[in-house]
Amino acid sequence: MAIRDRGVIVAGSVGLSLALLAGMAWWLTGGDAAPARARRGEAAAQVGIAAAGQDSARRDDAAPEPASAPRFILGREVPTTPPEIDDEAKAARDAYVALQASVVRDVAPQLEARRGALRQRCWTAELAAGLEQTSFKVSAGFDADGKQTELGVETPATAPGARDIGQCLREQQIELSATAPGQVVTIDLSLVLP
């Protein structure tokens, strides 16, 4: 088949496609595009949609939206003010914060005493290449008797190259204990290496 014949076939196909599209548009608008546009404009006006020719930057002086209009997230109304905490809940929160501070005073020196051994095992030349001093967040949980129930080490987002060092720290046996707090307590400590 000659190139000229292929060109005729392509041109014919494109022309036929355009004719089909124009016919479909004519059929969908009911044969007359002007009344269809008018009907769409009327429907849009009923729901408060501005016409295409109107500048949306211009605002009319209609009544402003109320400031206290409820907001909804996932179908639930979001309160506009934080919930009130009663005195009992405040006292419980303050007691827990004081208990956490007490446990931190017990545990922080233990973690600091292990810092040298942790630095020797995990802050190696291959793992710490190019890193400067980095602070890892250590989260520890204790039961009512002060026995450690969980320990986690979080790599700081500001030092993504410290991920391998964080993994090394998580693999270490870091046993900490606290004076019996009388309830389950979770604390956060900072481990600065090197």
Side-chain angles (χ1 to χ4, degrees), residues 145-162:
D145 297 326
K147 182 179 176 189
Q148 179 181 315
T149 57
E150 60 185 313
L151 186 93
V153 177
E154 183 179 317
T155 304
T158 57

Side-chain angles (χ1 to χ4, degrees), residues 11-25:
S13 297
V14 169
L16 182 60
S17 297
L18 290 173
L20 282 172
L21 287 173
M24 287 176 60

Side-chain angles (χ1 to χ4, degrees), residues 10-87:
V10 169
S13 297
V14 169
L16 182 60
S17 297
L18 290 173
L20 282 172
L21 287 173
M24 287 176 60
W26 179 81
W27 181 72
L28 288 173
T29 60
D32 187 10
R37 279 195 296 270
R39 286 192 300 271
R40 281 196 302 266
E42 290 169 8
Q46 290 174 356
V47 293
I49 299 174
Q54 183 176 352
D55 181 6
S56 65
R58 278 187 256 140
R59 304 286 182 240
D60 59 345
D61 292 331
E65 207 173 297
S68 62
R71 294 183 336 158
F72 292 89
I73 296 179
L74 297 176
R76 292 188 172 188
E77 186 175 344
V78 178
T80 55
T81 59
E84 291 293 322
I85 299 176
D86 63 5
D87 292 339

Side-chain angles (χ1 to χ4, degrees), residues 118-119 121-125 128 131-134 136 165 193-194:
L118 294 171
R119 179 180 56 232
R121 289 186 189 131
C122 297
W123 195 271
T124 62
L131 284 177
E132 297 179 5
Q133 185 177 41
T134 305
F136 296 87
I165 295 170
L193 293 178

Side-chain angles (χ1 to χ4, degrees), residues 151-171:
L151 186 93
V153 177
E154 183 179 317
T155 304
T158 57
R163 187 179 73 221
D164 293 334
I165 295 170
Q167 181 60 37
C168 177
L169 291 171
R170 285 187 280 281
E171 293 170 355

